[in-house]
Amino acid sequence: MSDTSSTLRIVWIYPDLLSTYGDRGNVLILRRRAELRGIPTEVVRVHSSDPVPEEGDVYLLGGGEDRPQILAAQRLRADGGLKRAAERGAVVFAVCAGYQIIGETYGDDQNNPLPGVGILDVRSGRGDTRAVGEIVADVDPALGVGRITGFENHQGRTAIGPAARPLSTTVRGVGNDGTTEGAYQGTVIGTYLHGPALPRNPALADLLLRWRVGEIPPLPPSWGERLHEERLAAAL
C-alpha cells in the first residue's frame, strides 16, 4: 500500500491473549486517524485459533500475562504469517509482552529463555524489580515523533542487538533498562508503553500511517494532543 485511496488493513493479533491495559485503544486510534484523512480502513481481528493473514498493512500486538504470552509466541512461531508479513515490509507495533515475543528470545516466569518470532533484534529477560508507573521518553530524532509518554507495568529487561535501534531515550521510568525504551528495526516497533500508547501519542500513530501510506496531511489539534500534553505535564 502506498497511497491513501486503498484500504488500510489493520490486523489486531490475538486479542484473546494479548490485550491488557486497554491496548485495544491502539487499534481504535489508528483507524480513526486514518479515516479522518480519508483513508478507508478494515480491522481484522485474529484470534489465537486463527491463521495470521500475510496481506495486512499494520499489525498490532498488546500486552499479556506470562502464560498467554508463551502461548501467543508458540502459535505465532508455528503459524509464520506475522514473520512473513514483516519480511515483506508490513508495519508492526507491539506492546509489552507483544514487544518481547517479537524479539529473538524472551524469558518465562522463571527467566528461562524462550524463542521469539524473530522480527526484531532484541532479547528480553526478567529484572530483579518490577517497573510500574508513568514513563516519559524522547524518541530517536530520525523518526520525527518527539517526546512520548505512557504507563509501564512489567518486570522485563530488554537488550537491543546490532540490527535494531532504541526507539527512545528514557527521561523518566525504566523501559528497557533505565536508559532506553523500546526498539525499532525497519518498520517494526516494540515498546513497553501502555496507556494506550497510540491515543496518548498521536505523533507515534501518525508515524505508523506514514510508513505504510506515505505522506499524510496534518490533523487539527484534538483531544489526543491535549491528552499527550496533560500526561507529559503530570509526569514531569
Side-chain angles (χ1 to χ4, degrees):
M1 180 176 183
S2 59
D3 60 65
T4 59
S5 60
S6 301
T7 297
L8 181 79
R9 297 195 77 202
I10 301 169
V11 183
W12 186 14
I13 299 289
Y14 296 175
D16 53 331
L17 298 176
L18 303 173
S19 188
T20 57
Y21 302 113
D23 290 322
R24 176 174 177 260
N26 293 326
V27 179
L28 300 177
I29 199 66
L30 193 65
R31 181 175 198 175
R32 178 62 175 162
R33 293 186 74 83
E35 292 180 343
L36 285 171
R37 294 176 167 99
I39 302 170
T41 64
E42 176 190 3
V43 174
V44 180
R45 292 169 175 82
V46 179
H47 290 273
S48 57
S49 58
D50 302 329
V52 177
E54 299 176 32
E55 65 275 11
D57 294 299
V58 183
Y59 292 76
L60 301 175
L61 297 86
E65 302 300 326
D66 292 338
R67 294 304 179 184
Q69 179 188 33
I70 292 171
L71 181 57
Q74 291 172 340
R75 294 193 174 185
L76 287 172
R77 281 173 49 79
D79 176 87
L82 178 62
K83 186 168 188 178
R84 289 190 292 271
E87 288 172 345
R88 67 163 178 77
V91 174
V92 179
F93 184 77
V95 174
C96 203
Y99 169 30
Q100 293 181 354
I101 65 174
I102 67 170
E104 297 295 333
T105 61
Y106 68 100
D108 66 9
D109 56 0
Q110 300 299 314
N111 207 26
N112 299 305
L114 297 174
V117 179
I119 60 174
L120 184 61
D121 189 13
V122 300
R123 290 157 182 80
S124 299
R126 294 176 71 86
D128 295 329
T129 58
R130 193 165 189 88
V132 181
E134 289 292 308
I135 181 167
V136 178
D138 290 326
V139 173
D140 184 338
L143 299 180
V145 171
R147 182 164 284 186
I148 57 175
T149 176
F151 181 82
E152 61 179 341
N153 184 1
H154 63 93
Q155 201 166 338
R157 298 298 183 269
T158 297
I160 302 173
R165 298 181 64 178
L167 174 64
S168 59
T169 302
T170 53
V171 176
R172 171 183 172 175
V174 176
N176 295 326
D177 54 9
T179 301
T180 64
E181 202 297 305
Y184 75 100
Q185 181 176 336
T187 57
V188 175
I189 289 180
T191 178
Y192 280 110
L193 269 64
H194 294 286
L198 299 186
R200 285 180 63 157
N201 302 283
L204 190 56
D206 288 350
L207 172 68
L208 305 183
L209 292 177
R210 287 198 304 273
W211 274 351
R212 199 59 189 154
V213 305
E215 287 305 309
I216 51 177
L219 295 175
S222 65
W223 66 267
E225 285 75 16
R226 291 193 297 272
L227 175 63
H228 177 73
E229 294 303 321
E230 288 171 2
R231 296 317 305 161
L232 278 179
L236 295 176

